Amino acid sequence: MTNEIWRALQVDLRQTVGDSNYSNWIAPLELASVDRGVAQFKVRTRFLGDYVSQHFGDHLLYCIGKADPSIKRLSFVVAAEQMRAQPTPAAAPEEPETDEVVGSPLDARFTFERFVVGKPNELAHAAARRVAEGGPVTFNPLFLYGGVGLGKTHLMHAIAHELRRRQPGLNVIYLSAEQFMYRFITALRDRKMIDFKELFRSVDVLMVDDVQFIAGKDSTQDEFFHTFNALVDGQKQIIISADRAPGEIKDLEERIKSRLQCGLVVDLHPTDYELRLGILQTKAEYYLAQYPGLVLADGVLEFLAHRISTNVRVLEGALTRLFAFASLVGREITLDLTQDCLSDILRASDRKITVEEIQRKVAEHYNIRLSDMIGPKRPRNFARPRQVAMYLAKQLTSRSLPDIGRRFGGRDHTTILHGVKKIEELRAIDSQIADDLELLRRALEA
Ligand code: ADP
Ligand code: MG
């Protein structure tokens, strides 16, 4: 593995581990050497090396192994130890701590302007906007939660950008819970706890991202709790994010849970089709402005919004790759090109809707029993829903006609084909059927 390959891998890793993990743990890794199956990385501190090895070691090795199968093991050495033939950690000179910047750098792209608002995130967005106005503290903390890739970090950075823009003198600190722990442990080790406490108690706005990380880490939780209380008492705004609601974070102390619930708790819901399409359109406009030669065919963004999971990070990664690829090969971005270029992502995010699921949903929708849907009876009020289910099964699954037939009580494939054709015809002339199909498809793909 060369440095170039490592840098390219890093780009991929950013997608898989997430931006904050990436900037805290992966970006600082420097490839030092590759020798006899061992890739050696330089790290600033032993803690960093241990941490990366523990939490990302397997994943890193997996990704590196794909690029260079000869690599079987990773090792992390503190920069100062690296050249020594026989590392003797006990005697290793401590490196001077260089970075005095508190908190993590903000991503310049994570602004409110670039945040697309839709039903699933409108409440979180409104709350974030309110906090970003910087008026008197009305809810403390603001607790944002939701699944991975739904925009928590984006919103937090947006708040920080906005506050700094409005009030440049304000001491706004954003950091991940991991970094909070890292700083805390470093302060303990270096006997600088007083500095640590002063530092965190002197901020005006504190944002801690991914707080679920400190669950189960008792002394860090304890320190977090004290910092938190001191700031709340001082009327300072706190903004916290987590991947789930405060009450659902396991191994988080009760007193912390209840304090977290004291403010405003809002969640980011999984994206829906409209939001995904909105995000894709915004990003595509941006790319099209950047690569003026590119042509984007109709229907491509809609296709992606349907097919890709709720995680916006994956969605973005897909679009980035698609545009990069199209500009490299100089071709129009068509559905075919999209399917070729993104086959792995599309496969991975295939939700695998089953025929059974379709039958259940359709039966529910038309208010008939599942057994009537599958059974042999032929009255008209069963026949239409049955055909709708056959049509959706053909559209939304990769099952063959005979296969679908078997799942409809052993019907012949010609019966299925007939049903599919029938609905195709009706769809074009009967807006009620068209609406039903659209509704059902959405419910099934949600
Ligand atoms: P989380 O912190 O919840 O895991 P992020 O804030 O890191 O998610 O978001 C993942 C990616 O998706 C980021 O690049 C972010 O800019 C983008 N993103 C998420 N939600 C939106 C949105 N509503 N509009 C625009 N971009 C979004
Ligand atoms: Mg995040």
Side-chain angles (χ1 to χ4, degrees), residues 116-127:
V116 181
V117 185
K119 254 215 154 40
N121 61 23
E122 65 181 341
L123 221 64
H125 172 258

Side-chain angles (χ1 to χ4, degrees), residues 355 390 393-394 397-408 411 413 416-417:
V355 176
M390 290 171 180
K394 184 74 196 106
T397 74
S398 53
R399 299 270 174 211
S400 65
L401 291 174
D403 214 359
I404 295 173
R406 269 192 290 281
R407 288 172 164 72
F408 277 85
R411 285 180 164 78
H413 76 273
I416 307 298
L417 186 61

